Amino acid sequence: MTTFPDISISTDRLVLRSFEEADIPALAEMMSDELVTAWTSVPEPYTEAVARDWATVSSHAVRTEGRGIVFAVTEFLTQRLVGICHLDNTDWRIRSSEVGYMVAPWARGEGYAAEAVLGAAQWLFDDQKFERLELRTAADNTASQQVAQKIGCISEGVLRNAGIVRSRPEDDPHGRWTEIRTDLIVWSLLPEDLDGPDDRSEDGSDYRAFADWH
């Protein structure tokens, strides 16, 4: 079985590393946000017990079972948990993986998702010699689509009725979540898409990452 190494990745403002027990309170708070519930398949309610299992067991199993790797995304200066960036559904024969990400409510609008994904992509292509990174966004999730566009992903098409999101119907007096089907937009990023003259964001910060092996 092939697995990714247990690493941390540093970018200009962020550190991507394995989840730790100390992340549990911030993880539970972040994953209880309504937008996270709406656009992902996370358990609802997202309790501290669920967060503990993810931080100490499930997130690490993604790597040890060869499916991908999960990063806790933290601010370099404060070490505060910003979000999650994970690679999954990895195909080792064709050197391809699928990326997903989410950002805590307080950290949105700062470009953290794009910086984290580009850091992971640079490491995946340069260090792991992968040839393709795939991303799928719900048809109405414009924020996620903007991240895909910002990092240079190419839209490849639509998977009709292929995903499930959640909403709160206005006519439900109890405000319960309801699952609804949605189209998924497929995006891809290849190594040559990052081979421009300057891999930099609009504010000039460098997205190129380096891996700290441990």
Side-chain angles (χ1 to χ4, degrees), residues 149-160:
Q149 293 169 336
K150 183 176 181 179
I151 65 178
C153 289
I154 303 300
S155 175
E156 295 184 332
V158 176
L159 299 176
R160 297 185 301 161

Side-chain angles (χ1 to χ4, degrees), residues 104-173:
W106 64 268
R108 290 172 187 155
E110 300 294 329
Y112 284 148
E115 185 171 338
V117 173
L118 277 174
Q122 199 79 54
W123 166 77
L124 187 71
F125 294 151
D126 291 350
D127 289 37
Q128 299 298 301
K129 308 305 179 186
F130 268 56
E131 298 294 336
R132 174 182 171 87
L133 186 60
E134 189 171 300
L135 169 63
R136 300 183 181 192
T137 61
D140 292 332
N141 192 346
T142 55
S144 188
Q145 292 162 29
Q146 288 170 357
V147 171
Q149 293 169 336
K150 183 176 181 179
I151 65 178
C153 289
I154 303 300
S155 175
E156 295 184 332
V158 176
L159 299 176
R160 297 185 301 161
N161 218 28
I164 294 177
V165 295
R166 289 178 282 203
S167 68
R168 293 185 189 269
E170 294 181 0
D171 58 356
D172 186 342

Side-chain angles (χ1 to χ4, degrees), residues 13-200:
R13 299 178 295 171
L14 304 171
V15 176
L16 283 64
R17 56 161 175 78
S18 299
F19 269 93
E20 303 168 353
E21 191 162 351
D23 297 317
I24 292 171
L27 176 64
E29 180 180 358
M30 177 178 70
M31 301 299 270
S32 297
D33 176 64
E34 289 219 348
L35 287 180
V36 174
T37 303
W39 295 120
T40 73
S41 60
V42 299
E44 198 283 320
Y46 199 95
T47 64
E48 284 217 1
V50 174
R52 180 176 301 278
D53 178 74
W54 174 256
T56 61
V57 180
S58 299
S59 64
H60 299 274
V62 173
R63 186 188 69 82
T64 58
E65 294 173 3
R67 292 184 280 126
I69 190 169
V70 176
F71 295 111
V73 182
T74 63
E75 284 186 321
F76 176 75
L77 292 178
T78 67
Q79 300 184 21
R80 191 175 181 184
L81 183 67
V82 168
I84 299 174
C85 179
H86 60 91
L87 304 178
D88 211 342
N89 300 321
T90 302
D91 189 319
W92 293 94
R93 186 177 69 85
I94 66 172
R95 313 298 285 183
S96 174
S97 192
E98 182 178 336
V99 67
Y101 47 85
M102 61 191 67
V103 175
W106 64 268
R108 290 172 187 155
E110 300 294 329
Y112 284 148
E115 185 171 338
V117 173
L118 277 174
Q122 199 79 54
W123 166 77
L124 187 71
F125 294 151
D126 291 350
D127 289 37
Q128 299 298 301
K129 308 305 179 186
F130 268 56
E131 298 294 336
R132 174 182 171 87
L133 186 60
E134 189 171 300
L135 169 63
R136 300 183 181 192
T137 61
D140 292 332
N141 192 346
T142 55
S144 188
Q145 292 162 29
Q146 288 170 357
V147 171
Q149 293 169 336
K150 183 176 181 179
I151 65 178
C153 289
I154 303 300
S155 175
E156 295 184 332
V158 176
L159 299 176
R160 297 185 301 161
N161 218 28
I164 294 177
V165 295
R166 289 178 282 203
S167 68
R168 293 185 189 269
E170 294 181 0
D171 58 356
D172 186 342
H174 302 290
R176 290 170 294 197
W177 289 99
T178 300
E179 291 188 343
I180 55 177
R181 299 200 70 87
T182 182
D183 294 346
L184 296 179
I185 302 173
V186 180
W187 308 77
S188 69
L189 192 68
L190 306 183
E192 54 263 35
D193 297 330
L194 299 183
D195 285 344
D198 193 10
D199 294 319
R200 292 179 181 271

